[in-house]
Amino acid sequence: IRPQPGPQTAALKSKADILIFGGQAGGGKTWLLCGEPLRRIHNPGYRAVIFRRTYPQIMGGGGLWEEANGLYRPAGAKMREGSDLDATFKSGANVRFRQLQYENTKYEYQGHQYANISFDELTHFTESQFFYLLSRNRSTCGIKPYIRATCNPDAGSWVAQFIAWWIGEDGYPIASRTGVLRYFVRREDDTLHWADSREELQAEYPHIPGEQILSVTFVPATLDDNKILMEKDPGYKAKLMSMPRIERMRLLGGNWRVSEGAIIDTEWLSRKFSIED
């Protein structure tokens, strides 16, 4: 079991505290979240949780649970369904699958700790859910805690603002910034202050220890990067191409700026309107 060359490999190699992966539909996002814990399953204290907004989304065809079964059972994991919904490996390492359907569901995880917290389709979660769950990202198992998330583009989401530095004015990822780490702290006014290094932020906020400054990166993935899917289902791209323009630009093009009402056809601009129009 190994990642495909390209974005999946780059994401697994990243040292970012928070990594967001995705863009186009079919880019291998679910495999990444389920495959990531396999590197840690020999550590008996390793605990991970992968969130989806609702339970049906976890159990849907081709979703998290189905992907996890295909990856974890061959590795000797015991898979429990129902309310447990987790995978326990021979060492004792454990990966849970949970939902955050309501805003206040986040408080059900008070007192929990996970070395790896992942979010599948991050744009479906609220900003407060995401940042609250960061407080559960702690561990004493010897692995530095980390956050992983996947998503498709959504211009109106808080995620679009969070990763804006990695996205160009045209809405597409900036290739030279793929996988580049940036760092942030939260100011007293509740806004995020970004910088290119921990040292830069420490100089401005000397009261904040360097280890309390989080690193973030974004790794875009395209359908063409997922060679396995393209070989097994070569007609999938045609399905994406059949969608209306806005959804096509989001899910096939990976555009983070396009939204309903945001596109003006150039033919409209050149047309001369009469009073009757």
Side-chain angles (χ1 to χ4, degrees):
I1 299 174
R2 64 186 61 187
Q4 297 185 68
Q8 281 186 349
T9 297
L12 288 176
K13 288 182 177 180
S14 178
K15 302 299 183 182
D17 296 312
I18 300 172
L19 179 142
I20 299 176
F21 179 89
Q24 296 185 13
K29 300 185 295 297
T30 303
W31 187 97
L32 178 77
L33 294 189
C34 292
E36 160 60 48
L38 288 174
R39 301 187 296 165
R40 321 291 188 180
I41 61 174
H42 301 296
N43 186 319
Y46 179 74
R47 299 291 180 269
V49 59
I50 305 178
F51 286 107
R52 200 70 158 83
R53 190 63 192 258
T54 68
Y55 181 84
Q57 290 172 336
I58 298 173
M59 304 302 293
L64 284 171
W65 188 244
E66 187 172 297
E67 187 79 56
N69 270 269
L71 291 172
Y72 296 168
R73 287 189 185 277
K78 178 182 178 181
M79 309 293 292
R80 297 191 301 175
E81 297 194 9
S83 60
D84 295 310
L85 209 61
D86 67 356
T88 301
F89 296 88
K90 294 178 181 178
S91 69
N94 180 269
V95 180
R96 298 182 177 184
F97 299 83
R98 295 292 185 264
Q99 56 82 25
L100 286 171
Q101 183 170 3
Y102 304 109
E103 176 65 28
N104 288 339
T105 306
K106 63 191 179 187
Y107 296 121
E108 294 179 4
Y109 298 92
Q110 289 181 353
H112 292 212
Q113 60 179 28
Y114 301 98
N116 169 17
I117 298 178
S118 294
F119 298 84
D120 194 17
E121 295 298 344
L122 183 58
T123 57
H124 294 180
F125 299 88
T126 67
E127 184 175 4
S128 65
Q129 285 177 324
F130 175 75
F131 281 102
Y132 179 81
L133 265 298
L134 294 191
S135 69
R136 307 299 94 205
N137 190 213
R138 63 191 187 193
S139 178
T140 59
C141 72
I143 295 172
K144 182 183 178 183
Y146 58 101
I147 303 288
R148 296 295 179 261
T150 65
C151 58
N152 294 129
D154 182 350
S157 73
W158 66 269
V159 180
Q161 295 299 317
F162 190 64
I163 65 169
W165 183 83
W166 290 269
I167 306 300
E169 291 298 322
D170 59 0
Y172 297 102
I174 300 171
S176 62
R177 296 183 179 181
T178 294
V180 175
L181 299 187
R182 295 204 84 211
Y183 303 82
F184 77 89
V185 295
R186 189 176 290 276
R187 294 185 175 116
E188 290 298 325
D189 63 1
D190 215 25
T191 60
L192 301 184
H193 185 184
W194 293 87
D196 295 327
S197 69
R198 280 194 172 92
E199 292 73 22
E200 183 180 342
L201 287 175
Q202 282 185 286
E204 294 192 53
Y205 304 93
H207 63 287
I208 300 179
E211 62 271 16
Q212 293 181 17
I213 296 173
L214 296 176
S215 60
V216 183
T217 196
F218 174 67
V219 176
T222 70
L223 175 59
D224 291 333
D225 293 319
N226 192 345
K227 304 298 183 185
I228 295 175
L229 176 61
M230 292 293 286
E231 290 174 3
K232 292 185 176 181
D233 188 2
Y236 179 59
K237 192 170 188 177
K239 309 295 195 316
L240 296 178
M241 292 177 66
S242 72
M243 294 186 300
R245 180 171 57 173
I246 291 176
E247 289 304 308
R248 188 172 68 248
M249 290 183 70
R250 289 180 58 247
L251 297 181
L252 181 58
N255 192 297
W256 281 88
R257 303 288 188 203
V258 65
S259 61
E260 292 288 344
I263 297 180
I264 300 177
D265 197 312
T266 55
E267 292 182 1
W268 302 344
L269 297 178
S270 61
R271 178 182 174 187
K272 294 182 179 179
F273 292 91
S274 64
I275 296 177
E276 288 77 9
D277 290 330

